[in-house]
Amino acid sequence: RRAVVDIIDNVRQRGDEALLEYTERWDGATLTSETLRVPASVLAEPPGDSEFAKAFARAAERIERFHARVRPRTTMFEDDDGSILGLRWTPLESVGLYVPGGKATYPSTLAMTVVPARIAGVERIVVASPPGSDGEVSPQVLLAARTLGVDEVYRVGGAQAIAALAVGTASVPRVDKIFGPGNAFVAEAKMQLFGEV
């Protein structure tokens, strides 16, 4: 808990500078404010036709079919007294999707979070995922982002990524809500920032 309090405070006060220090310390990657975001040109590349790309595309299509069918619908009706009653569903404007990295890669997290957000009508979908020591996000996560049409991906992980998504920095604009799994530090950061995002 105490470590996450310090991380959030540091990101809140020092923004990108804190993100870059944590990325170098914990991920072994040296980045700059300009390289925190994966370039649009990288995300615009076609996903290719590898066996993984085909399997991921098929999974994403199945996830989309499911979520399209269970999507909440706005319902309005007039009761016997003439009152209009109902439920109205509106999308969030922006979401931050956290995709863990490190020893394993989780492209499925993107399919399970991007697809429902798109179906709901979310305007801005942001992905944060820790880079490897080479400064790059997992190739499988990038392929998933390309397949799903995500155009905003940041090379940052851990509690510091959650803090950046919640409070915003010069390079990482804040979002309305954060989704996605993570370790104990990520979960703690989400709990501490609840209500702010």
Side-chain angles (χ1 to χ4, degrees):
R1 182 185 172 287
R2 182 73 239 162
V4 172
V5 166
D6 292 343
I7 290 167
I8 292 170
D9 286 346
N10 198 13
V11 171
R12 192 183 303 278
Q13 293 171 21
R14 297 176 54 236
D16 287 353
E17 189 178 347
L19 294 181
L20 298 171
E21 284 178 13
Y22 289 134
T23 300
E24 189 162 2
R25 183 187 313 167
W26 291 320
D27 299 313
T30 303
L31 300 175
T32 65
S33 291
E34 294 75 29
T35 59
L36 276 172
R37 185 170 177 171
V38 175
S41 60
V42 171
L43 295 171
E45 293 173 10
D49 63 351
S50 68
E51 288 304 312
F52 175 77
K54 290 176 192 173
F56 183 84
R58 181 170 184 267
E61 288 169 12
R62 294 186 67 187
I63 292 165
E64 184 172 1
R65 281 197 307 269
F66 172 80
H67 283 285
R69 284 188 160 195
V70 300
R71 177 180 171 226
R73 309 276 187 232
T74 294
T75 305
M76 303 296 254
F77 63 93
E78 186 174 334
D79 71 4
D80 294 339
D81 296 327
S83 297
I84 303 296
L85 307 170
L87 295 170
R88 184 175 71 177
W89 296 87
T90 56
L92 296 163
E93 286 183 28
S94 60
V95 294
L97 309 178
Y98 185 74
V99 181
K103 295 178 180 158
T105 185
Y106 300 94
S108 59
T109 296
L110 276 177
M112 294 298 215
T113 54
V114 170
V115 170
R118 288 234 188 271
I119 289 170
V122 175
E123 291 178 26
R124 181 172 163 252
I125 297 172
V126 178
V127 172
S129 190
S133 59
D134 62 355
E136 296 302 328
V137 171
S138 151
Q140 292 82 12
V141 169
L142 289 177
L143 182 144
R146 289 182 192 111
T147 301
L148 298 169
V150 174
D151 62 5
E152 193 173 349
V153 177
Y154 294 92
R155 298 172 172 117
V156 62
Q160 63 273 23
I162 303 304
L165 292 169
V167 304
T169 71
S171 297
V172 184
R174 73 173 304 282
V175 297
D176 296 323
K177 190 162 183 168
I178 301 169
F179 296 89
N183 64 19
F185 292 92
V186 167
E188 180 65 28
K190 287 181 187 177
M191 286 192 301
Q192 289 185 25
L193 290 159
F194 180 78
E196 192 164 343
V197 65

